[in-house]
C-alpha cells in the first residue's frame, strides 16, 4: 500500500506543469521584488464602463495613487464613483496572508507568452465570501501579472502590466473586471510620474 502511494505521488509531482518550487518561496521572492522601496505615489487615470442594475454607466476619473510597504494602498481620485473608492487594494495588489489559506494547486504554465506560476488558494475558514483565489507569478521576475478572486456571488479579475522606473518595478497599466449581483464593470487604470520614498505617514492611509 505504501509503495503504491509513493508511486502515485512520484508520478503526480513529476507531471509536466507542476512546480517544484514551494509557495512560501515564491511569495518570499515576490515580496522582495523592490528592495529599498518604502513608499510610492503616482498620477492615475481610470476609465470605467459599467452596468449598475440595468443602467449602462461610463465615466473617467483622475488623481493620485499612494502605496506604503508592505500592504497599504490609497486612492485619491476626483469624480470617481463611490463604489470604486472602496477597492483601493485592487489598484495596488497585496499578497494574501498564506496562514489563512490552503494551497489547492501550484502549476507552471504560460500567460500571454510569459512563463508563470499559477497558485490556487482556498480559505481555511470561510469568514468572508471569498471562495478561492488564483494568483499568477512571473517566473522570471516574480511580479504578479494576474490575480483572480472568486466570491460566493461574483468575481474580480485583475491583469497588470509592469515597467521599470528608476530601480523599481512598478505597475504601468491595470485592467479590472468586476461582476457582482448589482454591478458589472471594467476599469482600466494607467499610472505615470512615479515618486518614491517620500516618507508617507501611516495616518495618510487610515479611514480610506
Amino acid at each position: 500500500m505504501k509503495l503504491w502511494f509513493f508511486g502515485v505521488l512520484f508520478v503526480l509531482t513529476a507531471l509536466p506543469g507542476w512546480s517544484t518550487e514551494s509557495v512560501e518561496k515564491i511569495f518570499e521572492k515576490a515580496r522582495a521584488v523592490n528592495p529599498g522601496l518604502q513608499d510610492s505615489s503616482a498620477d492615475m487615470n481610470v476609465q470605467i464602463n459599467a452596468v449598475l442594475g440595468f443602467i449602462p454607466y461610463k465615466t473617467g476619473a483622475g488623481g493620485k495613487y499612494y502605496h506604503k510597504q508592505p500592504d497599504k494602498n490609497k486612492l485619491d481620485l476626483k469624480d470617481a464613483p463611490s463604489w470604486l473608492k472602496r477597492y483601493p487594494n485592487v489598484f495596488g495588489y497585496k499578497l494574501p496572508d498564506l496562514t489563512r489559506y490552503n494551497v489547492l494547486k501550484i502549476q507552471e504554465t504560460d500567460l500571454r507568452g510569459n512563463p508563470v506560476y499559477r497558485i490556487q488558494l482556498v480559505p481555511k475558514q470561510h469568514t468572508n465570501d471569498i471562495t478561492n483565489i488564483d494568483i499568477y507569478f512571473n517566473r522570471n521576475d516574480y511580479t504578479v501579472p494576474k490575480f483572480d478572486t472568486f466570491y460566493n456571488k461574483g468575481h474580480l479579475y485583475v491583469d497588470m502590466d509592469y515597467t521599470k522606473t528608476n530601480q523599481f518595478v512598478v505597475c504601468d497599466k491595470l485592467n479590472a473586471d468586476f461582476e457582482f449581483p448589482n454591478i458589472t464593470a471594467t476599469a482600466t487604470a494607467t499610472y505615470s510620474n512615479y515618486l518614491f520614498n517620500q516618507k508617507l505617514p501611516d495616518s495618510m492611509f487610515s479611514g480610506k
Side-chain angles (χ1 to χ4, degrees):
M1 185 68 177
K2 288 184 179 180
L3 289 176
W4 176 87
F5 172 78
F6 285 112
V8 170
L9 182 62
F10 172 79
V11 171
L12 287 175
T13 55
L15 284 174
W18 286 84
S19 172
T20 56
E21 190 162 17
S22 71
V23 172
E24 291 78 10
K25 194 66 177 178
I26 293 169
F27 270 57
E28 179 183 339
K29 289 181 178 180
R31 290 192 176 99
V33 164
N34 283 319
L37 179 63
Q38 299 173 11
D39 58 57
S40 63
S41 67
D43 293 335
M44 184 179 178
N45 181 271
V46 184
Q47 298 298 317
I48 303 161
N49 289 284
V51 177
L52 304 177
F54 298 100
I55 303 173
Y57 177 81
K58 186 175 182 179
T59 189
K64 283 282 192 179
Y65 164 73
Y66 301 93
H67 169 76
K68 186 171 184 177
Q69 295 284 63
D71 58 8
K72 293 182 173 67
N73 299 286
K74 180 178 180 178
L75 302 180
D76 186 7
L77 300 176
K78 297 179 181 178
D79 303 319
S82 58
W83 61 265
L84 185 67
K85 295 179 181 180
R86 293 199 299 267
Y87 299 96
N89 289 328
V90 170
F91 298 95
Y93 182 64
K94 67 176 182 179
L95 294 174
D97 182 356
L98 272 181
T99 63
R100 299 182 178 181
Y101 291 87
N102 290 316
V103 179
L104 185 64
K105 186 177 183 181
I106 175 171
Q107 179 183 23
E108 293 183 5
T109 184
D110 292 313
L111 178 68
R112 299 192 292 271
N114 295 309
V116 295
Y117 296 110
R118 179 191 178 195
I119 297 175
Q120 295 179 280
L121 305 174
V122 293
K124 292 181 178 178
Q125 297 181 342
H126 294 281
T127 56
N128 55 33
D129 61 347
I130 293 177
T131 59
N132 61 288
I133 302 174
D134 285 6
I135 312 174
Y136 297 76
F137 295 83
N138 188 303
R139 278 187 270 151
N140 293 324
D141 61 15
Y142 292 88
T143 56
V144 177
K146 182 177 179 63
F147 62 93
D148 301 334
T149 307
F150 299 87
Y151 301 83
N152 288 324
K153 295 182 179 180
H155 63 250
L156 169 64
Y157 301 153
V158 176
D159 294 271
M160 303 174 74
D161 295 329
Y162 293 88
T163 188
K164 194 165 187 177
T165 301
N166 297 340
Q167 73 268 35
F168 299 118
V169 179
V170 293
C171 184
D172 180 46
K173 183 178 180 181
L174 179 148
N175 289 295
D177 290 321
F178 303 76
E179 187 170 327
F180 296 100
N182 296 320
I183 181 170
T184 300
T186 299
T188 300
T190 55
Y191 305 79
S192 60
N193 301 322
Y194 272 94
L195 296 174
F196 302 103
N197 294 342
Q198 305 166 81
K199 297 184 179 179
L200 301 177
D202 288 341
S203 59
M204 185 177 189
F205 300 87
S206 61
K208 57 184 183 294

